[in-house]
Amino acid sequence: MKYCSIGEAAARFRIPESTIRYYEKKGLLPLIERDAAGRRLFSEDQMALLSTVICLKNTNMPINDIKQYVAWILEGDSTLELRLKMMSEHKQAVLDEMALMTESLQGIDEKITRYKTRIQERKEVTQ
Amino acid sequence: MKYCSIGEAAARFRIPESTIRYYEKKGLLPLIERDAAGRRLFSEDQMALLSTVICLKNTNMPINDIKQYVAWILEGDSTLELRLKMMSEHKQAVLDEMALMTESLQGIDEKITRYKTRIQERKEVTQ
DNA sequence: TGTTGACTTAAACCGCGGTTTAAGTCGTAT
DNA sequence: ATACGACTTAAACCGCGGTTTAAGTCAACA
């Protein structure tokens, strides 16, 4: 049962300490323990929760939704269905967003191809 | 050579008119023509440019970068290399972002699977 | 003992990407 | 004539997601 300081937690996930403090203040990281001097102590459970929060953040879930999700975790098994529904809907939202990005990427790829052609043509003309 | 009003342009791309005005003010849509009454007229070229802007926005390119890109288009063929470099780098950034999302999605999928299992187990126990 | 470095807090500040508001100008159908 | 709907502008406003600042506390090491 090793505990991490905020500095170690920040280093492990490569995010600023200020972000972790911000997440705690916003209710994304409840129940963080403290040592006698008031410094945060992150248990392995808390590190796992932080990992989950970052995972949801990486997929653009709004802070308030993550907060709701974490609150449901604390509430226990009675919220299993709610959490399943939330994660399922979020997954679909992420897939939709990725589909839009993939589609838009095609337009970008066309530009890349056209630019390469035009640059090559210009070279040939001036030879 | 049909021209679109701002309302028609907004409808075609399913975005608010205010967003189009905002993009013009930010320099993303230069050279928009006007009728005698001062109303915007979108040529097919302008509609194509708007389409490009939306494509870049859909892939999370910052407004200022899009502005730079549009300025390079106006500058002509001397900026072909710059545009190619920008689009190539942007493509890579998009691919990186999608890779991160895909990875994070795995964590979400695991939660979905676990929740389904736990819900099923609870049903079996109470039977 | 005193200085350094890691931590603490609350509050102010920031950029981003729009959206809303308020007041006004047209063209057109009744 | 007038009323309506589509447009115009500048400026104010907004939520989001942090980041920065300032002032302070504490533990450990020289």
Side-chain angles (χ1 to χ4, degrees):
Chain A
M1 299 244 186
K2 201 192 159 263
Y3 282 89
C4 285
S5 69
I6 194 172
E8 289 164 338
R12 171 144 13 143
F13 295 109
R14 292 180 182 75
I15 60 176
E17 298 179 10
S18 64
T19 300
I20 297 181
R21 295 193 186 99
Y22 172 75
Y23 287 169
E24 188 195 18
K25 189 160 54 173
K26 282 292 187 173
L28 272 46
L29 300 172
L31 308 181
I32 292 181
E33 298 173 60
R34 305 287 178 132
D35 69 9
R39 289 174 295 199
R40 291 169 183 82
L41 292 176
F42 293 80
S43 67
E44 279 310 310
D45 276 5
Q46 288 296 326
M47 294 295 276
L49 182 58
L50 180 49
S51 169
T52 297
V53 166
I54 289 170
C55 180
L56 296 175
K57 186 211 67 174
N58 283 344
T59 50
N60 304 316
M61 181 179 283
I63 295 283
N64 273 335
D65 293 11
I66 302 179
K67 179 180 176 176
Q68 173 68 273
Y69 175 69
V70 170
W72 280 336
I73 291 178
L74 292 193
E75 255 187 84
D77 282 2
S78 65
T79 62
L80 278 177
E81 282 88 352
L82 291 168
R83 282 182 266 163
L84 173 59
K85 179 164 179 281
M86 187 181 213
M87 287 303 110
S88 300
E89 287 173 359
H90 180 56
K91 176 183 176 179
Q92 191 54 53
V94 174
L95 291 176
D96 290 351
E97 197 186 331
M98 287 181 66
L100 179 59
M101 289 177 84
T102 300
E103 191 196 319
S104 301
L105 213 42
Q106 285 184 27
I108 291 165
D109 260 329
E110 280 170 30
K111 288 183 191 310
I112 290 175
T113 304
R114 274 202 301 106
Y115 288 151
K116 280 182 178 167
T117 305
R118 286 171 66 185
I119 288 170
Q120 192 52 41
E121 280 172 3
R122 206 178 44 181
K123 278 184 186 159
E124 284 162 6
V125 161
T126 56
Q127 265 172 2
Chain B
M1 302 244 184
K2 200 191 160 263
Y3 282 89
C4 285
S5 69
I6 194 172
E8 289 164 337
R12 171 146 12 146
F13 295 109
R14 292 178 183 75
I15 59 176
E17 297 179 10
S18 63
T19 300
I20 297 180
R21 294 193 188 100
Y22 170 74
Y23 286 169
E24 189 195 16
K25 188 161 54 175
K26 283 291 187 174
L28 273 46
L29 300 172
L31 309 181
I32 292 180
E33 298 172 62
R34 306 286 179 132
D35 69 8
R39 287 173 298 200
R40 289 169 183 82
L41 292 176
F42 294 79
S43 67
E44 279 310 310
D45 277 5
Q46 289 296 324
M47 294 296 276
L49 182 57
L50 180 49
S51 170
T52 297
V53 165
I54 289 170
C55 180
L56 295 175
K57 187 210 67 172
N58 283 344
T59 48
N60 304 316
M61 180 178 284
I63 296 282
N64 273 336
D65 292 12
I66 301 179
K67 179 180 175 177
Q68 171 68 274
Y69 175 68
V70 170
W72 279 337
I73 291 177
L74 292 193
E75 256 187 84
D77 282 2
S78 64
T79 61
L80 278 177
E81 282 88 352
L82 290 169
R83 283 183 265 164
L84 173 59
K85 179 164 178 284
M86 186 181 214
M87 287 302 110
S88 301
E89 287 173 0
H90 180 58
K91 177 183 177 181
Q92 191 54 55
V94 174
L95 291 176
D96 290 352
E97 197 185 331
M98 288 181 65
L100 179 59
M101 290 177 84
T102 300
E103 190 196 319
S104 302
L105 213 43
Q106 285 184 28
I108 291 165
D109 260 328
E110 281 170 28
K111 287 184 191 308
I112 290 175
T113 304
R114 276 202 301 106
Y115 288 151
K116 282 182 177 167
T117 305
R118 287 171 65 185
I119 288 170
Q120 191 53 40
E121 280 172 3
R122 207 178 45 182
K123 278 183 183 158
E124 285 161 7
V125 163
T126 57
Q127 261 172 9

